[in-house]
Amino acid sequence: MSGVGQLVPTRLLSEHGKRRGIKPTGWDSKGIDVSISGFRDEIKAITDQTRSYIDNHTASNADGANVYFMDNRNVLCFPRETGDSRYVFGDNGFNFWVHASGYMYANEGLFSTFMRRKEGDEPVIGFFTGIPVSGGRMPYRCFSLMPVPVLGESEEFVERRYTVLNPAAAYFFTEFNSLLSVVRVTVNQEKRIAFSVYIENKGDAAADIFNSSFFKPFCRYSIYESDEDRWFIETALTDGVSADGVYDSGKMEVSQDEDRFTSMTYYAVLRGKHSLDDGATFNRRLTNTSRHNLLGESRRNLSAALGLRTGEFAENRHVTTFTDIAVFNDINFFNLAPGAAVRTDYTFQSVSEKEEQESVAATAIIPAEIDKSVATSGSRISDILSSLSIQVSGIDESLEIKENDFNEFFRHLKYQVSVCGLLQGYMQLQLRSLIGIRDVFQALEGLLYYRPDASRAKMLEALGFTITDGRCLRQYSLPPKGAAAGRADCREFIDQGVWVISTIHTYLESTGDQSFLEAEIGYHEITDEATESIIPSAEKGTVLEHLFRIMDYLNRNRDHDTTKLVLALYGDWNDALDGLGITKDPEKEFGTGVSVMATLQFYQNCTEMIRILECFYPDQFNDKLEQYRTIRDEIAENLIEYAVYQDDLGNDRIYHGWGDNREYYVGGPCDPDGVARDGVTSYAFWALSGMLERTPEMEAHICSAFDRLQSKYGLMTFNPHFPKNTPGVGRIPKLPPGTAENGATYIHATLFAIMAYFRMGRAKEGWDEIQKVLPFTSIHDKYSHSPFVMPNSYVFNEEKGMDGESMNDWQTGSSNVLLKILLWHVYGYKPDFNGIRIQIADWTPFQEFKLETTTRKKTVRVSYRKAATASGAREFIINGTSPVQGERDSLLKTDCRFIPYDQLADVNEIEVVDPIDA
């Protein structure tokens, strides 16, 4: 191949074939490449929808984020001055992150296929086009087909950029110089990343253009890049193009030593193909594997690459390793008649064996298969999520929530919960970002309502990492191929097991799956606490036996000598406050510091285990039943004695916890820094755990605490914040005031309190707080992350210039708690062991809503509306029967209806009608 590329007039070859009566593969009866026409139709469907939002100003906009909810889970994103939106693609632990800004990166565990890039960095994936210019300093004006990198000299000619994200694919649109370009990005279930680049001539004259791709893969076990990595990475790519537009495949080889005795080689393949429209002609192709060869000078980066301005490379570099950064890079030249388009597809795939690399490299791309993969992925995700569908209409004007926003947001929320529940670690690309027990089980408690089988499998996987003494790891990871065990986080946070019990209880309520309790799984053993080394144990046991051991572990870790409450150990759910378990006794690892939240959760676990045993094993475990009842009563008595105190005005308040030997308290009248403080979680779980039923007088005191925790963006985790160097509380004072858990709206905790509002029958107060934490309402005008999924927090510190930004999005427990609030209380759908309970809150902002779901293989449709009722009260119409009234729930303060499972038909229509003034 020559340095200027091979001249292959593909279109002319195809015309020659047609004249001979040969019909080229992929062309229709009119001679138009179907891969072009099909993609054009897909693009048109999106642009038609987009145009109506832009031109008619009918979109619902998350102010400040330039993000619009469209139909069919499409999110329209315009460039933002600050922050970025993103979507995650992939399955089975493969995470491919695509940002609306154009940044993309991928990892599978610690294996980084493409290294992560942050704002301002040079992207590792880019697409460009060049247009000849006369009289300029350079022969081509180059445009980035993605928002990054920014090419300053051409950006003024760009008429519009926008990105459309949905669970199946991301689309990057650029309109410029009478051209329309679209870059579609998707991932299939085999972890193949596909990029489809479409450029159409919208002008009246023919256009000479080139398109160019840039890939800088990494394919090493590391989440950080070093100067030595280039020594062990090699890429090879040649200029060849077949008559059908198939490019020679690029090959990558990466060497990495695992230890002194083990060296691994990883492989990857980049394939490419162009498809031509009627009136489009391919002229030549250039390829390059050297980043420096593209840039031209060491002081340049991708945004100033000389090769993209000259339309040529300094030299032929078809193989690169060691002395330069190895990349895949090409420039392809076309002529487009008016209205004509070219489509160029690339697929990137990492493989583990040389033979597989050769096989993939020898297989030509079929664009129609990529299109089918996008459609299949969209349909698969729709099918998964459609088993729980909800549509609302007529939102109360007192709330700053728009109807379309809310409906579309709920679809993305379900997808977010699915991502969180089934993750396989390293979504945050940190060495300790493993699979958190508390994180996964909380997410699964929401996911199980619409993905019960996947939830079941994930619970079994996670339960298999229980230590033989009943201790649940804080985090685990799946072992690499050929290894006995993966990495683990063995820090002894006391709360891990409480989430396991609660989620399994909820799963059994919804499914009645006794076989789950009897499934046999393994345990693990900790071989070295210091190095957090674990190995699989030879012991096995049923799920029920695992639950017994978890309960025994929690019971052992109570302060049996004094308060009888659960010890904090390393910490509880609020892991930033990790100082309560510290002791001055050199003979002990932990002291007698207590977590009130974890104690309340264990109290709840006792009730849950009693219910599980009474339902599935009546009269078989009477000793366990008696034990759990005794523990529950003892905990309740001592919570009242030790966890509740009176302030100077005689009001009852609840401690967050205390240190060793009760030397100091947190969330009390005088914390270690000398001030009175409230913590939201102990109050919330007093209501959520069932303790409120024993102490109904505490409701007013809980609400008073919530009033003291009010803020612009929702209830704070603590108020006031912990100043620097506050003793006895752990690392939380190191967080700036008004951030994360330290005097800010940490949304996960806020939603615990919102659920408590609903559990106390205070739905209106709950909704006042919901609208603050929803990321797309007009309350928010500063966005740092994606406003179509739940973030984890909102910061507020005017002195330090922080007002509403978030720490993170996607992987956060706030998503599952919100989903459960909506399902259990707003839409009032709560499966029980013996039937379903319809318990719609006493106040709802909706005039109407429709819910459809499947429980125990029965389809249940609940429709709610406000209308006149004969009784003047809430009425229930079940499968067309005469209206009946519900039974008043004194705690929820709403009228409910219980329907036993044996009274459900295969398909059930349940109508709930509230009086108009409800």
Side-chain angles (χ1 to χ4, degrees):
M1 301 299 169
S2 68
V4 297
Q6 184 182 23
L7 297 175
V8 184
T10 310
R11 179 63 177 161
L12 295 179
L13 289 173
S14 299
E15 289 286 0
H16 177 67
K18 286 165 58 183
R19 285 195 293 270
R20 294 177 55 194
I22 300 172
K23 188 175 180 181
T25 301
W27 293 58
D28 66 12
S29 59
K30 297 181 180 178
I32 299 176
D33 193 329
V34 293
S35 64
I36 290 281
S37 61
F39 195 21
R40 181 187 284 118
D41 291 342
E42 183 181 342
I43 291 167
K44 185 176 185 303
I46 295 174
T47 54
D48 285 350
Q49 189 181 23
T50 303
R51 290 281 179 236
S52 68
Y53 276 69
I54 297 170
D55 298 340
N56 300 326
H57 304 286
T58 60
S60 301
N61 182 22
D63 294 335
N66 282 339
V67 173
Y68 295 76
F69 287 101
M70 301 197 298
D71 296 334
N72 301 318
R73 293 191 298 279
N74 286 324
V75 177
L76 172 62
C77 307
F78 287 100
R80 292 158 57 173
E81 292 183 3
T82 59
D84 203 354
S85 296
R86 61 178 183 160
Y87 231 92
V88 62
F89 303 91
D91 284 297
N92 300 318
F94 181 70
N95 307 312
F96 184 58
W97 289 101
V98 179
H99 287 244
S101 64
Y103 283 112
M104 293 179 268
Y105 46 92
N107 73 291
E108 186 172 7
L110 290 175
F111 186 84
S112 294
T113 311
F114 287 95
M115 186 61 70
R116 182 180 182 180
R117 286 294 180 261
K118 298 180 181 179
E119 60 271 16
D121 290 346
E122 178 179 286
V124 293
I125 300 170
F127 299 95
F128 308 88
T129 192
I131 301 172
V133 291
S134 57
R137 191 168 63 89
M138 296 288 181
Y140 286 90
R141 177 178 295 128
C142 182
F143 294 83
S144 175
L145 304 185
M146 315 283 281
V148 292
V150 175
L151 308 186
E153 77 278 11
S154 62
E155 200 65 22
E156 63 180 291
F157 298 96
V158 175
E159 299 167 24
R160 181 175 288 129
R161 289 189 187 277
Y162 53 93
T163 305
V164 175
L165 304 173
N166 67 45
Y171 301 80
F172 296 88
F173 290 80
T174 309
E175 300 172 17
F176 59 100
N177 274 53
S178 300
L179 296 174
L180 166 68
S181 74
V182 182
V183 178
R184 183 187 64 193
V185 185
T186 189
V187 179
N188 72 0
Q189 289 183 278
E190 287 72 47
K191 305 170 188 177
R192 183 204 66 197
I193 310 170
F195 308 87
S196 301
V197 183
Y198 175 92
I199 302 177
E200 180 179 348
N201 182 3
K202 293 285 193 178
D204 298 327
D208 288 313
I209 67 162
F210 71 67
N211 68 15
S212 176
S213 68
F214 173 86
F215 299 93
K216 183 190 168 189
F218 190 66
C219 294
R220 288 173 64 84
Y221 274 96
S222 177
I223 57 175
Y224 305 111
E225 200 168 6
S226 76
D227 291 338
E228 295 183 3
D229 292 325
R230 68 177 68 183
W231 300 352
F232 306 101
I233 299 176
E234 178 178 307
T235 55
L237 179 65
T238 54
D239 297 335
V241 188
S242 75
D244 287 334
V246 176
Y247 302 156
D248 284 355
S249 293
K251 298 177 182 179
M252 181 179 191
E253 189 169 310
V254 180
S255 299
Q256 187 170 20
D257 290 339
E258 291 188 4
D259 51 44
R260 290 180 62 194
F261 309 102
T262 310
S263 181
M264 300 296 294
T265 303
Y266 308 106
Y267 305 91
V269 182
L270 177 74
R271 297 182 296 161
K273 180 188 188 305
H274 66 243
S275 306
L276 299 173
D277 203 357
D278 192 25
T281 304
F282 169 70
N283 295 319
R284 62 192 176 105
R285 169 172 167 81
L286 304 174
T287 58
N288 167 53
T289 58
S290 160
R291 176 177 175 273
H292 182 268
N293 201 36
L294 169 65
L295 304 186
E297 299 173 355
S298 13
R299 65 193 178 100
R300 290 177 178 266
N301 59 23
L302 191 57
S303 63
L306 280 175
L308 297 175
R309 275 78 178 175
T310 62
E312 60 185 16
F313 301 121
E315 59 177 301
N316 294 336
R317 287 293 300 273
H318 295 308
V319 178
T320 296
T321 187
F322 199 85
T323 56
D324 192 12
I325 296 173
V327 301
F328 293 118
N329 175 215
D330 65 0
I331 303 177
N332 307 293
F333 295 84
F334 303 92
N335 178 269
L336 302 180
V342 58
R343 167 180 177 171
T344 310
D345 290 280
Y346 300 92
T347 66
F348 185 89
Q349 192 168 351
S350 175
V351 296
S352 56
E353 304 293 340
K354 181 70 173 177
E355 293 76 12
E356 187 179 2
Q357 182 192 44
E358 295 297 335
S359 175
V360 173
T363 306
I365 287 181
I366 302 176
E369 289 185 355
I370 298 174
D371 297 343
K372 183 179 179 181
S373 175
V374 174
T376 300
S377 178
S379 298
R380 180 174 62 88
I381 294 168
S382 294
D383 291 343
I384 288 170
L385 301 182
S386 65
S387 56
L388 173 62
S389 63
I390 296 167
Q391 192 80 9
V392 308
S393 60
I395 297 183
D396 192 279
E397 294 180 356
S398 66
L399 299 181
E400 299 185 40
I401 300 172
K402 298 176 182 177
E403 182 179 305
N404 181 70
D405 286 8
F406 194 82
N407 286 323
E408 289 300 318
F409 171 77
F410 186 75
R411 296 180 175 95
H412 293 283
L413 180 70
K414 289 189 294 180
Y415 185 66
Q416 181 182 9
V417 172
S418 182
V419 168
C420 292
L422 303 178
L423 64 85
Q424 294 195 18
Y426 301 103
M427 286 195 72
Q428 304 299 351
L429 283 182
Q430 300 166 0
L431 289 177
R432 280 215 163 189
S433 179
L434 311 179
I435 306 171
I437 291 290
R438 78 159 71 105
D439 302 330
V440 163
F441 273 91
Q442 285 181 87
L444 293 176
E445 192 177 25
L447 184 65
L448 63 86
Y449 289 105
Y450 53 101
R451 299 192 68 179
D453 292 344
S455 300
R456 185 187 197 273
K458 191 67 175 180
M459 286 190 290
L460 291 174
E461 171 195 293
L463 278 169
F465 286 86
T466 306
I467 305 305
T468 52
D469 66 354
R471 170 178 164 186
C472 291
L473 296 171
R474 184 171 187 260
Q475 298 182 95
Y476 69 95
S477 64
L478 301 177
K481 185 177 180 180
R487 295 166 59 91
D489 180 349
C490 298
R491 289 175 290 175
E492 204 163 356
F493 283 85
I494 187 60
D495 68 305
Q496 306 303 318
V498 300
W499 304 105
V500 173
I501 303 291
S502 291
T503 296
I504 290 175
H505 173 267
T506 302
Y507 171 78
L508 295 169
E509 281 187 313
S510 182
T511 64
D513 180 11
Q514 185 171 349
S515 67
F516 174 78
L517 288 169
E518 295 164 3
E520 189 174 76
I521 51 177
Y523 295 93
H524 274 69
E525 297 174 3
I526 299 174
T527 57
D528 189 330
E529 290 273 4
T531 61
E532 299 184 302
S533 300
I534 63 171
I535 59 171
S537 170
E539 284 193 64
K540 292 186 181 296
T542 66
V543 168
L544 182 62
E545 289 165 346
H546 280 65
L547 300 187
F548 288 154
R549 291 195 189 191
I550 292 170
M551 290 292 288
D552 289 344
Y553 169 83
L554 292 167
N555 187 46
R556 285 196 306 275
N557 283 287
R558 291 198 290 147
D559 176 16
H560 289 282
D561 293 334
T562 308
T563 67
K564 315 299 187 210
L565 305 186
V566 175
L567 300 172
L569 303 186
Y570 209 110
D572 62 10
W573 171 87
N574 191 339
D575 48 20
L577 202 153
D578 55 2
L580 297 182
I582 292 173
T583 180
K584 297 174 184 177
D585 187 341
E587 302 298 320
K588 295 180 180 179
E589 183 177 6
F590 300 110
T592 59
V594 159
S595 163
V596 172
M597 176 184 177
T599 301
L600 287 162
Q601 291 178 287
F602 185 45
Y603 170 87
Q604 177 181 338
N605 290 159
C606 290
T607 300
E608 290 164 338
M609 287 299 295
I610 290 167
R611 298 189 71 223
I612 289 171
L613 295 178
E614 287 180 338
C615 178
F616 295 102
Y617 303 98
D619 301 322
Q620 291 189 47
F621 293 99
N622 292 328
D623 56 336
K624 291 289 186 184
L625 289 169
E626 182 62 28
Q627 179 190 15
Y628 298 150
R629 291 189 183 107
T630 300
I631 293 171
R632 183 176 60 177
D633 291 343
E634 188 174 63
I635 286 176
E637 178 183 342
N638 284 275
L639 277 167
I640 294 168
E641 179 175 353
Y642 292 103
V644 179
Y645 70 97
Q646 284 195 333
D647 63 17
D648 293 340
L649 300 176
N651 298 309
D652 286 342
R653 296 195 182 190
I654 305 171
Y655 290 114
H656 175 87
W658 49 83
D660 194 18
N661 299 316
R662 290 185 290 158
E663 292 178 357
Y664 63 92
Y665 291 84
V666 172
C670 185
D671 279 15
D673 57 341
V675 303
R677 179 175 284 108
D678 287 299
V680 74
T681 54
S682 55
Y683 287 95
F685 275 86
W686 198 280
L688 298 177
S689 65
M691 269 300 291
L692 189 61
E693 283 90 324
R694 289 187 182 234
T695 57
E697 70 280 1
M698 288 297 295
E699 179 181 331
H701 302 297
I702 293 170
C703 292
S704 294
F706 290 169
D707 289 342
R708 295 190 296 273
L709 290 159
Q710 288 285 341
S711 78
K712 179 178 180 180
Y713 297 110
L715 300 175
M716 292 177 282
T717 307
F718 285 105
N719 187 33
H721 71 271
F722 293 93
K724 282 185 178 180
N725 302 318
T726 300
V729 295
R731 65 182 174 88
I732 193 168
K734 298 177 183 178
L735 295 163
T739 67
E741 298 97 335
N742 194 19
T745 302
Y746 198 84
I747 305 170
H748 198 163
T750 305
L751 284 160
F752 290 148
I754 292 172
M755 184 180 285
Y757 268 134
F758 280 94
R759 285 287 295 271
M760 295 185 294
R762 296 173 177 262
K764 184 62 173 69
E765 290 96 323
W767 270 105
D768 290 342
E769 295 302 313
I770 285 177
Q771 71 170 340
K772 293 180 185 179
V773 300
L774 290 176
F776 54 83
T777 65
S778 59
I779 291 170
H780 301 277
D781 57 13
K782 284 189 178 180
Y783 290 89
S784 53
H785 288 80
S786 312
F788 45 84
V789 294
M790 287 301 293
N792 72 341
S793 64
Y794 297 117
V795 301
F796 186 74
N797 185 323
E798 291 180 298
E799 180 183 343
K800 297 185 183 297
M802 297 183 289
D803 186 0
E805 298 89 349
S806 302
M807 296 163 57
N808 211 342
D809 58 13
W810 281 97
Q811 189 184 357
T812 167
S814 63
S815 58
N816 73 76
V817 184
L818 177 59
L819 187 143
K820 288 178 283 195
I821 291 170
L822 295 174
L823 183 62
W824 294 345
H825 297 291
V826 175
Y827 308 124
Y829 189 81
K830 188 68 170 70
D832 200 346
F833 284 116
N834 301 309
I836 59 171
R837 196 165 188 255
I838 307 301
Q839 54 179 39
I840 299 167
D842 64 314
W843 188 90
T844 178
F846 310 123
Q847 289 296 314
E848 298 181 3
F849 67 74
K850 295 182 183 296
L851 175 149
E852 182 171 340
T853 190
T854 301
T855 300
R856 302 199 183 191
K857 299 182 180 179
K858 307 287 187 182
T859 298
V860 181
R861 298 178 184 137
V862 179
S863 61
Y864 170 88
R865 69 182 187 278
K866 293 182 179 179
T869 63
S871 64
R874 175 176 290 178
E875 294 181 347
F876 298 81
I877 304 168
I878 301 171
N879 291 330
T881 59
S882 299
V884 294
Q885 294 184 37
E887 295 181 358
R888 191 70 175 173
D889 186 299
S890 59
L891 182 66
L892 297 178
K893 303 181 184 67
T894 192
D895 293 340
C896 307
R897 192 75 187 179
F898 184 79
I899 307 170
Y901 289 123
D902 59 12
Q903 293 182 18
L904 290 176
D906 290 339
V907 178
N908 301 271
E909 304 284 349
I910 302 170
E911 299 176 62
V912 183
V913 185
D914 263 346
I916 294 175
D917 59 350

